[in-house]
Amino acid sequence: MTQCGMVSVMRPLGRALLFGVLLAACASGRGSTGTMIDTAGAPTLVDTVIQSGLSVPWDIAFAPDGRMFMTERMGSIVMFESAKPNAKRIGFMKVPDVHSMGEAGLMGIALDPDFATNGFLYVCASRMDNGDWRNQILRYKAGADSMAFDSYVIRNGPQAAAIHDGCRLRFGPDAKLWVTMGENGNGRLAQDPSSLNGKILRVNGDGTVPSDNPILPGAAGPTYVYSMGHRNPQGLATQPGTGVIFEVEHGATTNDEINVLAPGNNYGWPDQEGFGGMAKGFTDPIWTSGAVTYATSGATFVTGDQWGAWAGSLFVATLKEQDLRRFAVNGTTVVPKEVLYDQKYGRLRSVVQGPDGALYVTTSNGSGDRIIRIAPQ
């Protein structure tokens, strides 16, 4: 079905949001690289498939020299020479002992802020280690066309599970590695200060605990945990200009959330969903999906003049709804706006702004997966 045809069958909310978008798209037609999207006051967007035939690409990261790194959930780290369409694979690493099942496997990837000089890249992997199934943070060292294991950052940490296992990695403006960790289907772990599940972690690149991490109630000192009470967080994004960390997580049957992270705060799960937790000592989200869920996943802010009126927006990928959503952001207030590429590419896992200013999105359909470049023209 074309996007033009989708106008008549799309769910009501998406249809209302997309009507103006798709009028322009239907008028312009579909080129060889995708559909041009043009709305008043917004950039004209062109989507291009740059890699295809992938196996559940979970996350991507870019090196300063233009190389693109990708994780596939079954356990592969792939290095492409660039983000150009059909760019050559110049490096490949199979992470050993990855136990990929359900939502678990090789997940987030992040490059060290000093990657240009140290070559360090970090991945999150669900691995069997001495009989335990753990989500581990591993550090690799990348050469021009190869990768080699360097060290464990977190080895004996969170429990892995086939559900709620999301593990996004991002370096913050503080040069610390931020990690999302699902509660693996056991909500009580999110409220257990001794567990790393259901938490947001903040870690030094060498695996030590930052001295300025918060001290949780009952703890003797700082731990990896920055915040607690999270269900299945899969999105992390740093707000341009402020350095504030926004976190995105799946709700159960309602209330997907966008949260602003603060040290030591408790975001309520499983005792509280959505708004109304302040009286109980919990921190409320800044946005929820209300009575529905979209299965929100990766998130990123966009910057650059090419984005026009959309500069500073937060983009969120969704799995269940199979679309890309734009949120206008004013301080810590977010307002949902356009719903883009509704069901065109299937389930969307990650969205990252590349060094060229374009968005790069991975699909998560299980076979024939792709990476799509979405660029303002």
Side-chain angles (χ1 to χ4, degrees), residues 161-326:
I163 61 171
H164 307 181
D165 202 52
C167 185
R168 186 78 59 188
L169 306 182
R170 292 290 181 264
F171 274 93
D174 54 4
K176 306 300 182 185
L177 182 62
W178 294 69
V179 181
T180 73
M181 194 59 63
E183 37 82 306
N184 74 28
N186 183 352
R188 297 320 310 171
L189 291 180
Q191 292 296 322
D192 181 354
S194 66
S195 169
L196 297 184
N197 289 95
K199 311 295 193 303
I200 305 298
L201 314 181
R202 180 174 177 263
V203 187
N204 290 323
D206 62 0
T208 57
V209 174
S211 60
D212 58 346
N213 268 10
I215 301 175
L216 298 181
T223 68
Y224 289 135
V225 177
Y226 188 81
S227 63
M228 61 191 298
H230 300 283
R231 181 178 180 270
N232 190 13
Q234 291 191 16
L236 278 177
T238 301
Q239 186 178 34
T242 68
V244 173
I245 308 294
F246 283 58
E247 174 264 342
V248 181
E249 66 183 84
H250 296 228
T253 57
T254 60
N255 291 308
D256 294 337
E257 295 183 355
I258 299 176
N259 293 295
V260 170
L261 297 180
N265 283 22
N266 188 330
Y267 293 81
W269 178 259
D271 301 315
Q272 177 68 40
E273 293 184 76
F275 301 112
M278 300 290 284
K280 305 174 187 177
F282 300 128
T283 300
D284 277 352
I286 60 172
W287 171 87
T288 84
S289 59
V292 297
T293 57
Y294 307 137
T296 49
S297 187
T300 192
F301 284 92
V302 297
T303 58
D305 292 341
Q306 68 267 46
W307 286 96
W310 286 8
S313 296
L314 178 68
F315 284 84
V316 176
T318 76
L319 296 161
K320 177 183 173 183
E321 291 302 285
Q322 304 181 31
D323 54 36
L324 183 66
R325 295 176 178 245
R326 183 179 81 88

Side-chain angles (χ1 to χ4, degrees), residues 58-60 71 105-110 122-125 137-138 166-170 350:
W58 212 95
D59 206 0
I60 51 180
T71 52
L106 188 60
M107 296 172 284
I109 186 170
Y122 303 76
V123 296
C124 182
I137 311 300
L138 312 174
C167 185
R168 186 78 59 188
L169 306 182
R170 292 290 181 264
S350 293

